[in-house]
Each structure stands twice: as structure tokens, then as C-alpha cells.
Amino acid sequence: MKDHNSHDVLLLCTSCHAISNYYDNHLKQQLAEEFGAPIGSEEGVRLLEDPLRRQVRSGARALLNADSLPDPRRAELLQSIKDFFNTEVVTPEMLQEAAGLETRICNESYMPHGLKVVQCFAKGGLRSLMQLERRWRQHFLDSMQPKHLPEQWSVDHNHVKLIRKYGEDLQIELS
């Protein structure tokens, strides 16, 4: 729908752009609630902090850098590294590796808010996606009340052409 289409690219001054973003966030929040597409939740984070890896890294750094660790604490930290690497002996190389561990892991359930919303609309086919596009355009008109839109600008821009070209029942496959 957006291929080679600049219809929705409109020039705004800096202050109007900030206001538009403010109102856009309200609509995003509505869509998040309607379609179970949270914004900024754990699902919306690509990388997660792994507390175990962080604890092991912190312990290894303490063992490498703290000369005056009490023996019980030193034994506790060494045990956490042994458990992590599933070994009985911690080598200097292992300690260095542990001290350099990456603590962020890939979140397998990550899905960006926008993609989840579009997927929900895409299930309804072309007409449903056009409703989403129309909703955003109408939201812009209602919230910003622009006074200088191009004459051809419309909330339904290209919709008739798309239906004529692809048919009303076109099912959408997102890649």
C-alpha cells in the first residue's frame, strides 16, 4: 500500500511535529489495548538482561579485581562460576571469559508494536488494512486540524484504485 506513495508525507514545523507525535502516542496506546500489542513491555524489548549471566560476570570481576574478599564470599562466587560453566575447576581463562560475559540475551517473543497491529489488521485482508490507514489519516485530521493540506489529500487516497487492482477480498501475507 505504501510502495512509491508519498501521500502521507506532510511537512510540519518543529512544534507541530512534536504535537503530532504527542497525539500519535495516544492512538498507539489505543491500538495497543485493542490488539494486545503493548508498547515498551518485555515483549517489546529485543534484548533482555539475563540476571544469571549478570551475576556470574559480576562475581568473576570481583574475583579478578578484589584482593581482600573474605574466603566464604570468594568460595560462593567461585561456586556460581562453576555452576554456570558446569565444571569442578575454574581456570584463569574461564574466569576471564566469565568476566566478559554478554548479559543481554535475545528475546524470542519480541515483536514490535507496529508489526503486531498491522498483522492483526492484515488478517482481515486489504479492506481491513485500508481501515487502519484511514484511521491514522483521520486521526491526523482530527488531532492536528491542518489548514494547508494539498487539494488532492484524502483519508481514502488510493483505496478505490487498490480495490480495483487487487479486488475486495485480497488476503494479505506479511513477510
Side-chain angles (χ1 to χ4, degrees), residues 40-67:
S41 70
E42 189 170 281
E43 292 175 1
V45 178
R46 188 180 308 266
L47 295 173
L48 297 172
E49 186 74 20
D50 182 333
L52 176 61
R53 293 176 73 86
R54 179 172 244 223
Q55 178 186 2
V56 169
R57 182 181 73 181
S58 177
R61 289 178 177 176
L63 288 166
L64 288 170
N65 298 319
D67 297 328

Side-chain angles (χ1 to χ4, degrees), residues 3 6-7 23 27 36 48-49 54 68 70 78 99 103 110 112 123 130 141 163 170:
D3 189 36
S6 61
H7 178 75
Y23 287 120
L27 181 54
L48 297 172
E49 186 74 20
R54 179 172 244 223
S68 60
L78 280 169
T103 60
Y110 171 72
K123 289 176 187 171
M130 290 189 306
L141 288 179
I163 289 174
L170 176 69

